[in-house]
Amino acid sequence: MSTPIISARKLRKVFPGKGQEEVVAVADLTMDIEEGSLTAFLGPNGAGKSTSLRMLTTLMPPTSGTATVCGHDIVKHTAQVRASIGYIGQKNGISPYQRLRDELQSQGLMYGLGRTESTRRTDELIEALELGEVADRRAQSLSGGQKRRADIALGLIPQPRLLLLDEPSTGLDPQSRANLWEHILQMRRRHGMTLLLTTHYLDEADQFAERVLVIDRGQLIADDTAPRLKATLAGDWITVTVPTQTTTTAAEVIRTTARSSGARDPEPDISDAGGDSQRLIVTVDRGENLLPVLIRDLDAAGAQVLTADLDQPTLDDVFLTLTGRSLREESQTVHTAEPTMTGAPQ
Amino acid sequence: MSIAADSLHVFTRELKPVLRDPFQLVFSLVQPLTFLALFGPLLSGTTGQPLSETFQWFVPGILVMVTLFGTAMTGSNLLYEIILGSHERMLVTPVSRAALLVGRACKEMVPLVVQAAVLCLIAAFFGFRPHIPGLLLGLILLAILGMGLGALSYALGIAARKEDWIFWAVQQTVLFPLMLLSGILLPLSQGPHWMEVISWFNPLTYLVDALRVLVEGDFADPAVWQGGIAAALVTAVGLAVGIRSMRRSL
């Protein structure tokens, strides 16, 4: 196996809280990220995602634990780590006082590129990210989506092996989010880099990440591909409705069929579906394979199937299974386990 | 990269918005020009001296005032870059924290020297006749002072990053006493003794005195080296405090 591009061992960050209490923002994070992968940290606000990223980018030192990024220790060799990575923070990286073209050229020089190379990459990224029309305007006049694409350009100027993105699409409308992701994936294909991002958008992690690290209250609670997380932690739901008088028969058939398929909990939930029918729900693995079998078995047992549905889980269901809480609902509430800025200009 | 090369890149970055939009320099000349236009004749009338002689005494003080007000506000740019996020991005570049501060502080020298030169040119139409080598040395002293004051302003901006009103509250509290207690507008020897005593602890006093003798070409006056030491001291303290703050600026 190749050397991981990120390797963290028991990485921990503790902030002083109110009074004597301490806030453990990240608790003993241990992980390896393979080069070339696209990995998402998924969790609600305040889960410790951004703090993890900030430690890995050397913005803040860990309280304890060790980590290497691109082979460099994040505490002992901060300059080498920073020279190897690109970073796109939660807020906009372009100064409101600057013009995008100037900011990109300055960024290149700060990464040690020569003036010519810096200008070449600036022009290339402006074109690739479709920012030509606004490249010579002050950043404060750019739209939210344009600023985010400018951030990506700033992160990519040094052509990093590793690009870290902290909630890259937060605050964007759906169209701008889709456009942003199109550009991120296009840039990844073009430059072949490793991406590690944080998000609380379930669909983003599900759709784009090859690996999902679920983090909650500072703890890494799951680490796998999205399909495997869903299959192993949540399962598929089969819902059938049958006439009330055949409910007992149907329940028995479902129990037997689900058990034979290896379902962890073959007992169906039964509820009234109205109109003299009952609804039976059972959680199984690979529901798309089991559903036709189940319909056939019910039919053979004389339990007429009125309706049948297959619901596949989302990462929110995974989070619900792991924590007992819905990530979708958690994301509506802003937790502040880590220090935040206040006093932004009105 | 070396700190010098890093600082140069930061310096260039900071200077670009000024070069792209020089109107902001013109606009910031309004305040000192107002003082020249309104306070100058008032001073001339009070002392009974011709305006040209009054300007010979008054303009050096205005140059120090431009340095003070021009550089003291600059920390607000960094403050907003911290709040809005671009400073965080800068902190993840390979540029050292020291260079992030030094480059910014060095940039302060450029607009203030340009503004001072323009003011001298305008004042020349009303009889201001500086000794040119003396004025040039004075501008160098102002540039050094501006770098130090700018560094202190950045440190204040960083300190106020979680409560931005603090930046403006400190500005309001500190700037006017500093100006009034440096003899920029009126000679402190005419005021109560306690004011003069306080002014001895104000580095701006020494800069104002140094510039007044330098525009007369009096290089041998002790005020010159005293002004130089005051400027160097402000810059040394400013850079030390500023770099320390920059290292803790997240």
Side-chain angles (χ1 to χ4, degrees), chain A residues 239-243 271 273 277-280 303-309:
Chain A
T239 305
V240 293
T241 53
V242 296
S271 58
S277 64
Q278 295 283 303
R279 181 186 298 112
L280 295 93
Q304 185 196 358
V305 178
L306 302 174
T307 66
D309 276 319

Side-chain angles (χ1 to χ4, degrees), chain A residues 54 57-60 79 82-83 85 87 89-99 102-103 105-107 109-112 115 138 154 339-345, chain B residues 1 6 9-10 12-14 16-17 20-21 24 76-78 80-97 100 161-164 249-250:
Chain A
R54 286 176 168 205
T57 53
T58 78
L59 277 169
M60 58 173 61
R82 294 202 293 263
I85 63 171
Y87 173 66
Q90 246 179 62
K91 298 178 189 170
N92 289 125
I94 183 166
S95 165
Y97 311 113
Q98 298 276 350
R99 283 158 169 76
D102 290 342
E103 198 75 314
Q105 281 170 340
S106 299
Q107 179 88 337
L109 294 172
M110 285 184 222
Y111 274 90
R115 195 163 292 278
R138 273 174 73 143
L154 286 164
T340 55
M341 299 290 186
T342 57
Chain B
M1 279 196 295
D6 281 351
H9 296 321
V10 176
T12 311
R13 173 189 185 256
E14 293 301 310
K16 279 177 180 170
R20 300 272 186 236
D21 194 5
Q24 56 183 287
S76 66
N77 291 347
L78 176 59
Y80 287 124
E81 286 198 3
I82 291 173
I83 291 170
L84 297 174
S86 56
H87 181 62
E88 184 182 84
R89 191 253 309 165
M90 297 280 283
L91 290 175
V92 186
T93 65
V95 172
S96 73
R97 285 6 183 192
L100 285 176
R161 65 193 182 279
K162 289 176 184 167
E163 299 287 348
D164 61 344
S249 60
L250 186 67

Side-chain angles (χ1 to χ4, degrees), chain B residues 52-77:
Chain B
S52 59
E53 278 184 38
T54 303
F55 268 19
Q56 207 68 15
W57 181 89
F58 188 51
V59 171
I62 291 297
L63 299 185
V64 176
M65 190 176 89
V66 166
T67 307
L68 174 65
F69 281 87
T71 57
M73 301 296 175
T74 196
S76 66
N77 291 347

Side-chain angles (χ1 to χ4, degrees), chain B residues 15-61:
Chain B
L15 202 55
K16 279 177 180 170
V18 181
L19 298 176
R20 300 272 186 236
D21 194 5
F23 180 74
Q24 56 183 287
L25 283 186
V26 177
F27 188 75
S28 55
L29 278 173
V30 170
Q31 187 199 26
L33 282 174
T34 305
F35 270 91
L36 280 183
L38 301 181
F39 201 82
L42 197 64
L43 200 59
S44 173
T46 307
T47 58
Q49 290 181 326
L51 188 62
S52 59
E53 278 184 38
T54 303
F55 268 19
Q56 207 68 15
W57 181 89
F58 188 51
V59 171

